[in-house]
Amino acid sequence: MGNDKTYTLNVAGLTRELNICPVNEKLDIAAFIMFSDVELTVACAQELLKIAPAHDVIITAESKGIPLAYEMSRQSGQKYLLARKSKKLYMKDVIEVTVQSITTTSLQKLYMDAADINYLKGRRILLVDDVISTGESIRALEQLVEQAGGEIAGKVAVLAEGDAADREDIVFLAPLPLFFK
């Protein structure tokens, strides 16, 4: 029998029921998945753009932030770039950083190639993610932007999970609680 516990989320004028999923024996999280929810993605992008600081480029990490960054780019006309989770054959002169996310069991790396790195130089960069929890994914994006010579304009997310809601260096639409057992 499946887990039937849910959390009711109200964000960007919409309501969604999120499944509660175990992280470990002491912690559960509400699973926020924007993939295939076009209505939610469009609404959240619109609301984030209203509160985001001025920026020249949007950057996100593969993969859950992609629909949001794309939609923010489409609505604003600003270019978006992607930090990849693996090196691709077409990528040249790659820089990489290591990240440990709460939703991933092992260390991961994020990669950007020379063309994207050069594009970031001297530009104001908006870091975008669907959920900020531990902040590790955003921190990895910060490291990539700094290595590339870009300026961090701001950090935005749809949700700030747990203690991340108390951070003063991020802008988000709604808090998301953690569920301790």
Side-chain angles (χ1 to χ4, degrees), residues 20 34 61 63-64 102 108 111 121 123 133 151 157 159 161 166 175:
I20 305 294
M34 293 185 78
S63 66
K64 287 174 52 183
I102 190 174
Q108 294 182 310
Y111 304 91
K121 285 183 182 160
R123 288 191 166 85
S133 186
E151 173 191 332
L159 304 174
E161 187 172 50
D166 297 329

Side-chain angles (χ1 to χ4, degrees), residues 87-102:
K87 293 181 192 175
K88 304 299 179 187
L89 293 176
Y90 59 81
M91 297 173 80
K92 305 292 182 209
D93 299 323
V94 174
I95 60 172
E96 68 181 56
V97 295
T98 303
V99 61
Q100 174 70 61
S101 170
I102 190 174

Side-chain angles (χ1 to χ4, degrees), residues 62-91:
E62 192 174 42
S63 66
K64 287 174 52 183
I66 294 172
L68 180 62
Y70 168 81
E71 182 59 24
M72 290 176 72
S73 175
R74 190 190 69 75
Q75 289 183 26
S76 70
Q78 299 288 359
K79 182 174 182 162
Y80 84 100
L81 298 175
L82 178 62
R84 304 297 306 255
K85 287 186 179 174
S86 63
K87 293 181 192 175
K88 304 299 179 187
L89 293 176
Y90 59 81
M91 297 173 80

